[in-house]
Amino acid sequence: MNSDLLSQLSLEEKAKLMSGQDLWSTFPVERLGIPSIYMSDGPHGLRKVDPTVALGESVPATCFPTASAMASTWNADLIYKAGAAIGQECLRHDVQILLGPGVNIKRSPLGGRNFEYFSEDPLLAGILAASLILGLQSKGVGACVKHFAANNQEFERMIGNSIVDERTLREIYLTAFEIVVKEAQPYAIMAAYNQVNGIWASESRRLLTQILRDEWGYEGIVISDWGAVNHPEKALEAGLNLEMPDNPLSAPKIIKAVESGELAEEELDKMVSNLLNVVFKADANRQSKASFDIVEHHELSKEVAAESMVLLKNEDSLLPIQIEELSSIALIGNFAKHPRYQGAGSSRVNASRSESTFEALHELLPQHVQINYAEGYNNEADEVHMQLLSTAKEAAAKSDVAIVLVGLPDSFEAEGSDRSHMHLPKSHDSLVEEILKVQPNTVVVLINGSAVELPWADQCKAILESWLGGQASGAALAETLLGIRNPSGKLSETFPLKLEHNSSSLNFPGENRKVEYKERIYIGYRYYDTKKLPVMYPFGHGLSYTTFEYSNLAFSDQVVADDDTCRLSFFLKNTGNVRGKEVVQVYVSPPSAYVDRPDQKLAAFDKIELDPGATALVEFILEKRAFSYYDVDLEDWLIDSGSFEIRIGSSSRDIRLCKSLEIISEKAKPKKVYDRYSTVAELLEHPKGKAYVDKMMPLFGVDPDTVRAEDHDMRIILMSMPIVKRCNFSHGAYTEEMLDEFLKEVNAGE
Ligand code: BGC
């Protein structure tokens, strides 16, 4: 930014620029030509409301599937297109920054905003969010990625303190943010409400400056979540560029802090300068004549919805429904006529149009197929409605096939509160159980934003997860059920058998304003797979109306050293009868090592479309990071040399190809410092340690060979003993002073 402009701003103007002018826009300085820019909620569509209103009716816009659905497409190109379409709608409505996407990790299935987040896996979340941002920003509209950081629940959402160890932060909760910063440079990042390890996220210099800017090279601005600032001058000093919304109390505090010398004016200047860079950039992209094609965007939204649907189960190939062989279909569930296609809260979009599954099926089915609709439940109360239930049973019994739509009503999934269990409403579960008694050909369609428990799944032939699929989800669902579209979604989160199996279940959502992430890096499949727990449906799972065969996994090199990348390839063949898309997944399983690591982690993925009988050569390049873990002492990513297993899967539990790859890392680990309490075993890892054993052990009356002998009982006891204890046993032959001398020598290096 022009430093001239900065010097013309008064202290008061600079302080005022640090918070909004109203609920949604930045403060302008007209005399200097500094414009105001407008922000609106997203992330799955534009939610532009009046500047004075927080949760009122917004302008009509295309409601795309929410992030859990988008993530289940595993299709970065498609999500880019959705981002670009949302960007175009922002241009049309003169919105410069869209408040989204949210890339927080689904720590628990109960998280109230899980429907707004992508995944339990940071790589998947980061890559898809980066695509959405790149699409949006290709139109000159900025993204504001939220909620930075460790904001994974709604309970005590504005006051909670997330206690997370450094390695877990780096490997799980910061990674998606890191990916989007490095890949997409969003215009803005939103600092979360909560504290992270005792410091408000909006006041954490470590998060907002050291990690975000200094380490990751972030060039945009940091905006507070709405009302997240507690001490404006501290937030500013930490690296916050804009407090939202307007707060008349903040500017006087900032001015006072500058005048008293508590806050250096250069810090304020830095924050203002960053902010104005983004304000001018976004303002320059305004287009007064922008427009968009409502029908085209509706169709795109349908494509995303269709690609997000996950066929969880399909016994006897019940799906797609063979209409030629049918005369009637029972369509059951209130959701069939009153679709729920998005979550509640600040992300709610006023959909430009919507079509229910009932309407869409009516349009698509030939005259000879009768639709027997029954409501089955109502969503007003969580109780079984006997009359609705028995009418639904009758409809199912007299039809050839039953399609039952169940899921989570708005009251179960909303910003501001977490779920207390993973069940569907009782009325929905009972409906499915009763229908299954009278109609073996039952397809259950799930409508929900996060994993649920399915106690009747074993009895049911077909289950299709359709998520909160946006305004065109009714039509996308109808087309999928009838085979006009082939499902290709894969789960972006594990469906555990029950909530208690989830690794965070004993520490969620915490208490007394504190939530401890005690399960550490073992989130989602990282936990279930390491623990070898059975799950209902694994991460990455999803069937198709066709089948795929994987073959010939090959590496360009069998041994990969530090700065090399690993190239791998294999063949994928469509072995079924219809065109289809497969999400191929690469998992890396580390050698067993001193540092504990999850059994496997997702390292790469792609979505490949193939005609029946066609084969594709699939290639990936794995970077070093795929093999590494975060070393807290070194404050960097490290690789333990050894044999890694590269697993190619159709899901995390359906591994089709597997091969070992030797990785050699020369990167030095932090130098170990030995002290009196280092064990004999630790000492033996040091080149001089062996000499110590040879020389000193005879003094204690121990034969050095005993220490090295593989099968001696004494060895086990000796190895785990702190070396200082040996002084006691030497009866003065080896003193503590001698030990200290020796330690000095060992720690001094070669
Ligand atoms: C939410 C944000 C949202 C903001 C503005 C906050 O309460 O946490 O996600 O963007 O409100 O509506």
Side-chain angles (χ1 to χ4, degrees):
M1 200 207 55
N2 189 324
S3 56
D4 221 28
L5 184 61
L6 197 61
S7 64
Q8 292 175 56
L9 283 164
S10 67
L11 175 60
E12 194 190 346
E13 283 168 332
K14 287 190 282 192
K16 275 189 160 169
L17 277 162
M18 292 287 89
S19 51
Q21 125 172 285
D22 52 35
L23 267 165
W24 304 110
S25 66
T26 60
F27 183 77
V29 183
E30 272 144 28
R31 71 178 185 92
L32 294 174
I34 296 175
S36 164
I37 58 168
Y38 206 87
M39 289 162 268
S40 284
D41 267 312
H44 57 271
L46 172 64
R47 175 190 164 76
K48 185 180 184 186
V49 288
D50 191 84
T52 56
V53 176
L55 289 174
E57 172 109 324
S58 53
V59 297
T62 311
C63 178
F64 284 87
T66 75
S68 0
M70 287 198 190
S72 300
T73 68
W74 296 59
N75 186 338
D77 296 339
L78 186 59
I79 300 308
Y80 178 94
K81 286 187 198 160
I86 297 172
Q88 189 61 31
E89 298 192 19
C90 289
L91 282 181
R92 157 70 186 83
H93 289 287
D94 198 22
V95 167
Q96 285 69 51
I97 291 186
L98 184 88
L99 303 174
V103 298
N104 297 92
I105 295 301
K106 300 185 194 198
R107 176 174 174 244
S108 160
L110 302 182
R113 294 182 87 170
N114 277 9
F115 65 88
E116 269 188 79
Y117 297 139
F118 289 84
S119 180
E120 67 189 24
D121 181 81
L123 182 83
L124 181 60
I127 289 184
L128 294 186
S131 269
L132 187 87
I133 297 164
L134 288 169
L136 187 78
Q137 296 194 167
S138 71
K139 297 287 175 181
V141 173
C144 178
V145 182
K146 54 200 192 181
H147 304 90
F148 190 58
N151 179 274
N152 309 91
Q153 63 185 51
E154 293 303 281
F155 176 69
E156 298 188 328
R157 73 174 188 146
M158 293 185 85
I159 49 176
N161 181 10
S162 303
I163 310 285
V164 201
D165 68 89
E166 182 67 13
R167 180 175 170 205
T168 303
L169 258 182
R170 298 292 188 148
E171 290 188 22
I172 306 289
Y173 297 101
L174 295 185
T175 304
F177 289 99
E178 182 182 357
I179 294 172
V180 301
V181 165
K182 291 181 175 169
E183 302 283 316
Q185 279 293 351
Y187 283 26
I189 299 243
M190 187 186 285
Y193 286 129
N194 51 289
Q195 301 179 42
V196 183
N197 296 325
I199 299 175
W200 296 106
S202 62
E203 289 175 19
S204 166
R205 189 165 174 82
R206 211 173 114 57
L207 283 175
L208 307 189
T209 297
Q210 288 164 355
I211 295 181
L212 198 53
R213 294 182 191 281
D214 302 347
E215 271 187 43
W216 298 345
Y218 180 55
E219 293 160 7
I221 54 169
V222 181
I223 303 178
S224 74
D225 198 346
W226 268 230
V229 169
N230 298 294
H231 311 97
E233 63 291 359
K234 283 193 193 161
L236 187 157
E237 211 173 8
L240 189 100
N241 301 94
L242 178 64
E243 172 184 359
M244 284 303 291
D246 56 323
N247 180 356
L249 303 179
S250 286
K253 287 185 187 162
I254 292 172
I255 294 170
K256 194 168 159 213
V258 171
E259 285 173 346
S260 68
E262 189 193 319
L263 176 71
E265 192 159 356
E266 297 81 67
E267 291 294 327
L268 173 61
D269 287 353
K270 229 195 286 170
M271 292 302 110
V272 172
S273 167
N274 286 341
L275 174 69
L276 294 186
N277 282 340
V278 169
V279 166
F280 281 117
K281 176 163 80 168
D283 179 65
N285 296 333
R286 280 187 149 115
Q287 285 183 22
S288 56
K289 294 199 179 89
S291 64
F292 68 95
D293 186 330
I294 296 185
V295 177
E296 213 177 87
H297 285 192
H298 182 77
E299 285 304 308
L300 178 60
S301 159
K302 194 200 298 189
E303 202 180 327
V304 180
E307 280 220 12
S308 76
M309 291 188 188
V310 183
L311 184 57
L312 295 174
K313 186 174 181 186
N314 195 19
E315 275 173 18
D316 302 339
S317 298
L318 186 57
L319 285 176
I321 291 166
Q322 306 298 329
I323 38 179
E324 314 77 47
E325 296 159 20
L326 297 182
S327 58
S328 59
I329 289 180
L331 182 63
I332 297 171
N334 175 292
F335 281 152
K337 280 199 175 171
H338 306 281
R340 175 169 181 253
Y341 51 79
Q342 61 177 328
S346 66
S347 67
R348 191 180 278 280
V349 172
N350 179 10
S352 62
R353 50 163 64 186
S354 95
E355 193 177 7
S356 69
T357 311
F358 179 82
E359 288 161 336
L361 276 177
H362 237 288
E363 241 169 71
L364 293 170
L365 283 171
Q367 290 275 309
H368 76 270
V369 182
Q370 159 100 23
I371 301 183
N372 297 319
Y373 171 76
E375 191 180 358
Y377 53 83
N378 70 41
N379 286 321
E380 309 290 291
D382 182 13
E383 55 197 36
V384 181
H385 192 301
M386 293 316 287
Q387 183 53 45
L388 293 179
L389 189 64
S390 76
T391 316
K393 259 176 108 169
E394 279 164 31
K398 70 178 184 203
S399 306
D400 298 325
V401 171
I403 300 166
V404 188
L405 277 70
V406 290
L408 299 176
D410 261 352
S411 57
F412 277 56
E413 276 180 314
E415 176 178 341
S417 67
D418 300 308
R419 281 190 290 165
S420 53
H421 58 74
M422 270 179 71
H423 302 294
L424 298 181
K426 289 186 206 76
S427 54
H428 293 220
D429 270 338
S430 311
L431 177 67
V432 176
E433 277 156 11
E434 290 301 311
I435 299 292
L436 286 172
K437 287 182 190 160
V438 297
Q439 178 52 270
N441 293 328
T442 293
V443 178
V444 173
V445 175
L446 297 171
I447 294 175
N448 49 301
S450 185
V452 285
E453 282 180 36
L454 305 172
W456 35 258
D458 282 349
Q459 286 87 59
C460 181
K461 281 191 189 170
I463 307 175
L464 181 68
E465 172 57 77
S466 78
W467 303 113
L468 302 179
Q471 66 182 47
S473 55
L477 176 59
E479 292 177 14
T480 306
L481 292 169
L482 300 182
I484 300 165
R485 291 179 188 262
N486 186 353
S488 61
K490 300 266 186 174
L491 288 183
S492 47
E493 60 192 275
T494 310
F495 276 38
L497 281 171
K498 47 183 170 176
L499 175 64
E500 292 73 18
H501 285 187
N502 180 266
S503 57
S504 72
S505 61
L506 294 180
N507 297 293
F508 182 94
E511 57 200 353
N512 297 329
R513 303 184 180 179
K514 197 163 91 177
V515 50
E516 297 188 58
Y517 289 39
K518 289 189 180 165
E519 68 290 342
R520 306 184 299 123
I521 49 178
Y522 293 97
I523 284 298
Y525 69 88
R526 284 170 165 74
Y527 174 73
Y528 304 118
D529 291 351
T530 310
K531 185 89 178 163
K532 307 215 180 315
L533 270 181
V535 296
M536 175 70 81
Y537 296 111
F539 177 78
H541 169 73
L543 306 172
S544 163
Y545 296 155
T546 188
T547 47
F548 296 94
E549 189 182 273
Y550 292 64
S551 62
N552 284 39
L553 173 59
F555 304 139
S556 54
D557 298 291
Q558 293 310 312
V559 180
V560 178
D562 256 336
D563 291 322
D564 300 343
T565 48
C566 163
R567 282 171 178 278
L568 61 90
S569 65
F570 57 91
F571 290 109
L572 179 75
K573 182 175 182 188
N574 181 343
T575 46
N577 301 321
V578 288
R579 192 175 169 80
K581 293 184 182 178
E582 169 73 327
V583 175
V584 292
Q585 301 155 46
V586 182
Y587 294 88
V588 167
S589 179
S592 54
Y594 190 62
V595 177
D596 86 287
R597 300 182 66 176
D599 173 56
Q600 59 179 2
K601 72 170 183 188
L602 183 71
F605 62 90
D606 201 358
K607 194 164 196 175
I608 316 281
E609 183 162 26
L610 287 174
D611 281 326
T615 299
L617 174 69
V618 185
E619 291 180 294
F620 288 103
I621 297 180
L622 299 185
E623 308 279 340
K624 203 167 59 179
R625 182 79 172 259
F627 305 99
S628 57
Y629 61 90
Y630 189 80
D631 187 289
V632 183
D633 295 324
L634 197 67
E635 298 183 351
D636 202 356
W637 297 87
L638 257 197
I639 300 178
D640 276 336
S641 300
S643 178
F644 285 69
E645 218 170 74
I646 307 296
R647 302 173 178 171
I648 311 295
S650 176
S651 88
S652 59
R653 297 248 171 134
D654 182 6
I655 301 298
R656 304 289 183 86
L657 302 168
C658 184
K659 205 170 175 172
S660 295
L661 180 72
E662 212 52 47
I663 307 275
I664 299 170
S665 177
E666 298 291 319
K667 192 164 182 175
K669 294 205 173 160
K671 200 169 147 279
K672 188 162 185 146
V673 178
Y674 294 89
D675 64 15
R676 288 178 170 197
Y677 295 92
S678 297
T679 61
V680 174
E682 284 174 311
L683 205 65
L684 274 173
E685 287 167 9
H686 192 279
K688 287 191 176 157
K690 288 203 173 60
Y692 156 84
V693 168
D694 287 342
K695 251 204 285 171
M696 302 307 163
M697 284 297 164
L699 296 176
F700 316 139
V702 176
D703 177 354
D705 285 340
T706 305
V707 183
R708 286 192 291 267
E710 287 303 323
D711 56 355
H712 202 289
D713 291 354
M714 264 307 278
R715 177 177 187 274
I716 299 166
I717 295 167
L718 272 172
M719 292 293 258
S720 63
M721 196 169 275
I723 44 182
V724 68
K725 305 281 171 182
R726 302 305 312 162
C727 298
N728 310 346
F729 296 130
S730 75
H731 303 290
Y734 193 69
T735 62
E736 290 186 357
E737 289 69 32
M738 287 162 79
L739 175 59
D740 290 342
E741 270 309 303
F742 168 74
L743 286 170
K744 239 192 255 165
E745 196 190 320
V746 171
N747 288 327
E750 298 311 306

